[in-house]
Amino acid sequence: NSASDAYEVANSVRLNNADNAYFSQTPSASSGTTFTYSMWIKRGRIGLNGYLIRMVAADNSEADLIIESDKIRIQEYNGSTGANKWKYITNRVFRDCNAYYHIMYVADTNNGTAGDRIKLFINGVRETSFSTEVNPSSGATSCLAGTGARTFGGKASSGSFDGYMAECVYVDGTAKSTSDFGEYSEDSPQIWIPKDVSSMTLSGESWYMNFEDSSNLGNDAAGSNNWTSNNLAATDQSISTPTNIFASGNVLLK
């Protein structure tokens, strides 16, 4: 896209940790070996733990993507054995509350290279430095392959993400590339910007949340895998987006 026809994101949703705002659903089973999550987030506060995605199965297995204080944690915990199937915690911290981060979590546990079975990309660049790095065994399955309550943007008891989320996509059964969701701006080649994903082929338990319907913020814009909104109202729809960023105070100076 040129600067003149670049994709414009219309809306985001504002989640407040103090309100315990989040989305929930109990879908059918999806792929446990191959999937992609893509989302744009803008932090409202630092130093808080916020669940971006979460599933808990009947045996207490968990699938999580978390802002843990100021780092990012990916974890697949096996409730039956008490061990992690995979786990990653970044060394890098993410404390910028004035910009959107594009987070992309890609799983392909059938990949022949152990270190490539789980990938984390931030703003189009692969994250490779982790304080904890537990790679999955070949063909390891996430509890996503079963049924159970899933939450997005938080969890039922506590731990909501605090900030804005936009252009949130889950692709069931496919390991996507960063170029499917973003590109570098022609005007500012260092800046990663969103692509229009509305025509992306999504099947199974995939979903796409663009938050454009304020009366139904959990609407799946690509199909019928809708989410129930919890502690959210129409006023939580926002026009602060990755292509229309509002300046905010520097919380590091408060």
Side-chain angles (χ1 to χ4, degrees):
N1 293 343
S2 66
S4 61
D5 65 0
Y7 176 58
E8 296 290 332
V9 178
N11 294 107
S12 66
V13 64
R14 176 66 170 96
L15 299 168
N16 190 337
N17 178 274
D19 294 338
N20 194 33
Y22 66 99
F23 297 91
S24 59
Q25 65 171 198
T26 305
S28 300
S30 54
S31 174
T33 61
T34 312
F35 54 86
T36 302
Y37 285 100
S38 170
M39 62 191 72
W40 295 77
I41 69 166
K42 181 175 183 286
R43 303 194 67 184
R45 294 172 62 190
I46 62 172
L48 295 175
N49 293 347
Y51 285 78
L52 301 177
I53 58 174
R54 177 174 172 80
M55 175 179 170
V56 179
D59 67 351
N60 291 321
S61 292
E62 295 181 17
D64 299 312
L65 172 64
I66 309 168
I67 295 283
E68 188 172 53
S69 184
D70 301 323
K71 299 182 178 182
I72 293 176
R73 169 159 60 99
I74 292 172
Q75 186 168 4
E76 185 70 37
Y77 172 75
N78 188 330
S80 297
T81 65
N84 292 305
K85 290 187 174 181
W86 58 85
K87 183 178 181 180
Y88 304 84
I89 300 175
T90 62
N91 279 312
R92 188 154 68 108
V93 296
F94 302 90
R95 294 175 175 165
D96 190 348
C97 292
N98 285 304
Y100 273 84
Y101 293 106
H102 178 225
I103 298 178
M104 187 171 162
Y105 165 21
V106 184
D108 178 10
T109 65
N110 292 309
N111 190 299
T113 303
D116 288 338
R117 291 172 186 156
I118 301 297
K119 297 178 182 178
L120 173 65
F121 297 90
I122 308 297
N123 295 338
V125 179
R126 185 174 176 182
E127 203 71 17
T128 57
S129 178
F130 300 98
S131 60
T132 297
E133 183 172 359
V134 178
N135 294 320
S137 60
S138 179
T141 57
S142 167
C143 62
L144 297 172
T147 58
R150 302 188 193 186
T151 59
F152 177 80
K155 62 176 183 172
S157 56
S158 63
S160 294
F161 171 70
D162 196 285
Y164 299 85
M165 302 184 79
E167 293 291 282
C168 300
V169 186
Y170 169 62
V171 186
D172 178 14
T174 304
K176 303 293 282 186
S177 299
T178 54
S179 58
D180 293 314
F181 299 98
E183 62 188 348
Y184 288 103
S185 167
E186 289 191 352
D187 290 342
S188 301
Q190 313 94 320
I191 298 177
W192 187 250
I193 59 175
K195 279 186 175 179
D196 185 356
V197 297
S198 60
S199 60
M200 182 180 291
T201 300
L202 298 174
S203 59
E205 295 304 310
S206 304
W207 42 262
Y208 166 41
M209 297 171 71
N210 60 10
F211 310 110
E212 290 189 7
D213 184 352
S214 63
S215 66
N216 184 13
L217 289 171
N219 178 59
D220 174 14
S224 58
N225 294 320
N226 301 315
W227 292 76
T228 299
S229 60
N230 300 272
N231 304 319
L232 287 159
T235 51
D236 291 308
Q237 182 193 59
S238 175
I239 58 172
S240 170
T241 73
T243 57
N244 184 36
I245 299 174
F246 294 166
S248 56
N250 187 343
V251 296
L252 293 173
L253 300 179
K254 292 182 180 180

